[in-house]
Amino acid sequence: MFVKENLKEFKNKIPDHVTLVAVSKTKPIVDIQEAYDAGQRVFGENKIQEMVGKYEALPKDIQWHMIGHLQSNKVKYMAHFVDLIHGVDSLKTLKEINKQAQKHNRVIACLLQAKIATEETKFGLSFKKIEEIMQSDELADLKNIKIKGLMGMASFSSDNRIVSEEFKKLKLFYDKMNSLHAGFTVLSMGMSGDFELAIANGSNMIRVGSAIFGVRNYIA
């Protein structure tokens, strides 16, 4: 019952306007079902094969979010059910998502991943590149995707000033893009270690796993 209790405790910490994506990667079906039974409907996975298996085993009103780095050649496996793809970082990937969405007569919601952290290991697009994609004729031709907003991951730092400044920059850019391209509704930033700073700086969607499910079970 610890998942149910953790979930209730955590939801009391966040405002109503913030969507909680329960990051269920590496977690068993039984834990996700417990969170579902406690009212959680939005879950995030970072591996498509794992997400597909869980989609097939669990209730169909779950909203599955792909939160990991996305390989274009694997989009086809989740195109029939994925609710939101967080980490899109190329026009090529958007084209593949559109192609696979067409096959299922769906419009798939996507977030463009902005690179706001200093670490080289973090994926993401520059603000300039995001502007270019949003203004491109190629994007306008993709009728089976919808860009719903932006996603960003802050630097892994114990200095809250650095993290807060990165979140603040992304929020300002999000507001700018929303003024130019009406329809942005999602700013996904913040995880277990920095969600409070993210919300304080304008996030309306956070991705949290360990605070709900406990330490992850990584298989060697």
Side-chain angles (χ1 to χ4, degrees):
M1 294 294 289
F2 76 94
V3 171
K4 180 179 179 180
E5 293 164 2
N6 287 351
L7 186 63
K8 181 179 179 181
E9 183 179 338
F10 189 83
K11 284 189 172 182
N12 287 334
K13 298 178 182 178
I14 62 174
D16 290 340
H17 73 275
V18 175
T19 298
L20 170 62
V21 180
V23 178
S24 50
K25 60 185 182 181
T26 79
K27 292 302 176 182
I29 298 292
V30 64
D31 286 1
I32 303 170
Q33 184 68 53
E34 185 179 336
Y36 177 91
D37 292 342
Q40 181 65 22
R41 291 295 181 271
V42 185
F43 294 89
E45 293 282 333
N46 71 337
K47 292 183 178 178
I48 292 177
Q49 283 178 302
E50 186 177 343
M51 185 168 71
V52 169
K54 290 173 177 177
Y55 164 77
E56 291 172 351
L58 286 155
K60 295 301 177 279
D61 61 334
I62 286 176
Q63 297 174 33
W64 291 103
H65 289 201
M66 178 60 189
I67 61 170
H69 183 64
L70 184 60
Q71 294 175 284
S72 295
N73 63 342
K74 293 188 177 179
V75 172
K76 60 188 175 185
Y77 299 114
M78 65 174 179
H80 59 295
F81 71 88
V82 69
D83 190 75
L84 181 64
I85 300 174
H86 284 235
V88 182
D89 62 359
S90 74
L91 187 57
K92 176 189 173 185
T93 301
L94 288 171
K95 289 178 180 178
E96 181 63 21
I97 296 168
N98 185 76
K99 175 184 171 183
Q100 298 302 330
Q102 274 184 322
K103 294 179 180 179
H104 297 279
N105 195 29
R106 298 186 69 213
V107 176
I108 295 179
C110 301
L111 304 178
L112 295 178
Q113 182 172 356
K115 182 169 172 50
I116 58 173
T118 54
E119 293 111 320
E120 290 299 316
T121 53
K122 293 284 201 314
F123 292 100
L125 297 156
S126 67
F127 289 175
K128 181 181 178 182
K129 188 63 179 177
I130 289 174
E131 289 181 292
E132 289 174 1
I133 289 174
M134 291 302 300
Q135 293 166 5
S136 70
D137 292 335
E138 289 176 288
L139 179 64
D141 290 337
L142 304 181
K143 305 301 183 185
N144 288 78
I145 62 166
K146 181 172 178 58
I147 308 296
K148 296 287 290 285
L150 303 174
M151 184 270 260
M153 297 174 67
S155 296
F156 185 69
S157 172
S158 59
D159 189 336
N160 286 349
R161 291 172 300 174
I162 292 173
V163 175
S164 186
E165 191 60 34
E166 289 171 352
F167 285 148
K168 192 176 297 181
K169 283 181 184 176
L170 185 54
K171 176 59 163 65
L172 288 171
F173 181 67
Y174 170 87
D175 289 342
K176 175 186 175 182
M177 296 307 293
N178 199 27
S179 68
L180 296 172
H181 309 280
F184 272 30
T185 57
V186 178
L187 179 56
S188 173
M189 57 185 196
M191 300 184 291
S192 290
D194 57 17
F195 72 91
E196 290 169 315
L197 283 174
I199 293 171
N201 284 287
S203 174
N204 60 18
M205 182 177 283
I206 57 174
R207 309 174 301 277
V208 175
S210 56
I212 296 167
F213 295 107
V215 178
R216 291 195 189 104
N217 303 319
Y218 287 108
I219 301 170

